[in-house]
């Protein structure tokens, strides 16, 4: 049914070669997933939009995780970050101004009860928006929390938040952290009153929420803006991504072998799903998983002890959830040591 002969030949050639490759390489452990994705799956994906244009098919109005005009399986423009919001179409016309406002609020200590801490205090840009600690520092430096602050890179491509997955939307995450007495210990009524004294913030809110009820500074507007900024922290253009998308390989043979182990024999990819490499399950991306893997409280492999943090069990009290934690993303991991919710491992090895 495709009108373009050139397009038909492209698709037919890729399908035939890909099918032959699968038939000739059917061993699970030795299968070169990197080669298959790079040379067959990704090029076919890149032709979807062209096929739609050829057949004059209009994009579906139903929000989807993958953008209809995406040209690669793995890139900064592959995912529709609005899909992961509670309101998929809100504030589209002022998105850039909304992100700008959220960015400013993210670094403003006014959110904290002592005007000394901001979101960036525990999510440092230079550490891929993690905190680099085994356990995060509590409010007013009064001890430490039980867990550390995970990276916010690609945080918007999830359906659950916090290590115990206790909320489903970033806006709720902002509320939880701001009001938590051990974290920012802030009060939204006080925050709003303070921001209302700022002419600069008044203008920023008007631009960010033009034509809506949120033009006037409000608690809901604050959390919407911060959440939108966090959703803008998309990073799907690593050397690996570029290597998949380019004709030539730009990553090492060891890295390719590592990816094939990760996705195959080692089974890492059964929890850290390609292409985001977090726990958000393809192909619908409508669920983010948590797992019980037995995280230890020490790094001694010969005499390990169980970490006493019960994880998701503390949210609902269900035995099934005992010691369960959300599967985090593994992108930019060279910046986010130490590892696991308790920072038990100091290095990737």
């Amino acid at each position: 049914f495709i009108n373009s002969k050139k397009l038909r030949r492209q698709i037919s050639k890729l399908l035939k070669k890909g099918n032959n490759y699968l038939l000739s390489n059917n061993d699970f452990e030795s299968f070169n997933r990197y080669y298959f994705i790079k040379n067959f799956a990704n090029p076919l994906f890149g032709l979807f939009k062209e096929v739609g244009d050829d057949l004059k098919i209009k994009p579906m109005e139903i929000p989807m995780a993958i953008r209809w005009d995406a040209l690669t399986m793995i890139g900064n423009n592959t995912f529709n970050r609005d899909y992961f919001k509670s309101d998929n179409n809100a504030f589209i016309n002022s998105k850039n101004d909304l992100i700008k406002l959220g960015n400013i609020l993210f670094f403003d200590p006014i959110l904290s009860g002592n005007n000394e801490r901001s979101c960036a205090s525990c999510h440092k840009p230079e550490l891929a928006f993690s905190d680099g600690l085994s356990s995060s520092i509590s409010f007013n430096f009064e001890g430490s929390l039980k867990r550390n602050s995970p990276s916010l890179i690609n945080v918007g491509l999830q359906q659950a938040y916090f290590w115990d997955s206790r909320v489903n939307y970033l806006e709720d995450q902002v509320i939880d952290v701001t009001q938590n007495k051990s974290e920012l210990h802030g009060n939204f009524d006080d925050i709003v009153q303070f921001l209302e004294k700022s002419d600069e913030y008044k203008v920023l809110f008007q631009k960010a929420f033009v034509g809506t009820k949120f033009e006037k500074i409000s608690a809901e507007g604050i959390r919407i803006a911060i959440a939108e900024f966090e959703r803008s922290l998309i990073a799907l253009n690593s050397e690996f991504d570029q290597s998949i998308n380019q004709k030539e390989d730009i990553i090492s043979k060891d890295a390719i072998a590592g990816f094939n182990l990760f996705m195959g024999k080692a089974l890492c990819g059964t929890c850290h799903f390609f292409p985001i490499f977090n726990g958000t399950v393809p192909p619908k991306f409508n669920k983010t998983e948590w797992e019980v893997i037995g995280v230890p409280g020490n790094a001694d492999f010969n005499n390990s002890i169980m970490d006493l943090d019960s994880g998701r069990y503390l949210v609902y009290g269900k035995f099934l959830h005992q010691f369960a934690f959300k599967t985090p993303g593994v992108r930019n991991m060279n910046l986010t040591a130490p590892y696991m919710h308790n920072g038990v491992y100091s290095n990737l090895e």
Side-chain angles (χ1 to χ4, degrees), residues 58 132 156 237 275 279 321 334:
K58 294 182 179 180
N237 194 35
H321 296 166
N334 57 317

Side-chain angles (χ1 to χ4, degrees), residues 108-121:
D108 195 334
I110 186 57
L111 295 181
S112 66
N114 59 6
N115 291 338
E116 293 180 5
R117 302 185 79 179
S118 68
C119 304
S121 297

Side-chain angles (χ1 to χ4, degrees), residues 14 24 28 50 64 130 139 207 214 236 270 307 321 326:
L14 282 168
S24 302
F28 178 84
E50 200 170 336
M64 303 291 286
S130 66
F139 184 77
K207 288 184 176 180
F214 302 115
L236 299 172
T270 62
D307 184 86
H321 296 166
K326 187 184 70 173

Side-chain angles (χ1 to χ4, degrees), residues 245-293:
N245 291 326
Q246 296 177 12
K247 186 175 182 180
E248 303 296 331
D249 294 328
I250 63 172
I251 57 173
S252 68
K253 291 182 179 179
D254 281 348
I256 293 172
F259 172 74
N260 285 326
L261 275 171
F262 187 97
M263 295 297 294
K265 184 178 180 179
L267 301 180
C268 310
T270 62
C271 293
H272 299 277
F273 302 106
F274 175 88
I276 308 174
F277 296 112
N278 65 8
T280 307
V281 187
K284 292 184 177 180
F285 300 95
N286 58 1
K287 174 187 177 184
T288 294
E289 290 187 340
W290 40 263
E291 305 289 350
V292 181
I293 63 172

Side-chain angles (χ1 to χ4, degrees), residues 146-157:
K146 290 196 298 183
R147 305 162 191 165
N148 51 39
S149 300
S151 170
L152 295 183
I153 299 296
N154 301 319
V155 69
L157 306 180

Side-chain angles (χ1 to χ4, degrees), residues 117-128:
R117 302 185 79 179
S118 68
C119 304
S121 297
C122 292
H123 295 283
K124 304 178 186 299
E126 66 273 19
L127 299 177

Side-chain angles (χ1 to χ4, degrees), residues 45-46 48-49 66-73 77-79:
F45 181 95
F48 284 168
K49 181 182 184 301
I66 304 293
R67 288 170 57 98
W68 71 271
D69 56 350
L71 300 179
T72 172
M73 297 173 69
N77 294 316
T78 297
F79 288 91

